[in-house]
Structure formats: C-alpha cells, structure tokens
Amino acid sequence: MPNYIYEQPTWLYEKQSKIYNCSTRISLTMSGNKTGKTLSHAAWLGEQAMKGKEGMSYTWLSPYYSTSKIAFDL
C-alpha cells in the first residue's frame, strides 16, 4: 500500500471546518445550495479513505447522480 503525505485543508470556512472535524461516525448535513458541502465532504471522505485499511469501503450518498458525479470527480 502506498504512503501518502496529506495535509488537512486550510481553506475551509467555519461551518465547513465544523463538519470536516466532526468526530461522529455518521453525519447528515443539510443546507442550501452553493454552501460548500460537496467540496468539504469530498475532502473529508478522501482523508478517511487514506487512513483506512485494505478491504475497507467508503460510500457517498446523494439524491441525484449529478451531485454524486461532482463529488467523484473531486
């Protein structure tokens, strides 16, 4: 398994940072359009995947394919 050098994002604004640094296993985030949910959550999920072990899997759920594709592309 490759080694990664990863630095947490410093560009998150306050509400994104609270979500990103949340210690719960599962989080549900609801807010308006264009508030930075997808970008901050994609960064968080990527970090969790880098910390994971072989055989672990991670899931992105969204109500629309287009939103999932944006997150996947990030």
Side-chain angles (χ1 to χ4, degrees), residues 1-7 46-53:
M1 189 166 204
N3 292 324
Y4 296 97
I5 296 172
Y6 178 78
E7 294 180 16
E47 179 180 337
Q48 300 310 304
M50 284 185 264
K51 291 178 182 176
K53 295 178 176 62

Side-chain angles (χ1 to χ4, degrees):
M1 189 166 204
N3 292 324
Y4 296 97
I5 296 172
Y6 178 78
E7 294 180 16
Q8 288 188 349
T10 57
W11 41 261
L12 299 173
Y13 64 86
E14 182 183 357
K15 289 181 181 179
Q16 287 175 313
S17 185
K18 284 182 180 180
I19 294 167
Y20 189 91
N21 293 306
C22 179
S23 63
T24 62
R25 181 171 170 256
I26 297 171
S27 79
L28 171 64
T29 306
M30 300 176 358
S31 70
N33 295 336
K34 306 298 179 196
T35 58
K37 296 181 303 291
T38 303
L39 183 57
S40 61
H41 284 60
W44 179 85
L45 190 60
E47 179 180 337
Q48 300 310 304
M50 284 185 264
K51 291 178 182 176
K53 295 178 176 62
E54 189 172 340
M56 295 178 81
S57 60
Y58 302 85
T59 303
W60 183 278
L61 299 173
S62 66
Y64 303 104
Y65 169 80
S66 59
T67 308
S68 293
K69 182 167 179 0
I70 292 167
F72 178 81
D73 291 343
L74 287 171

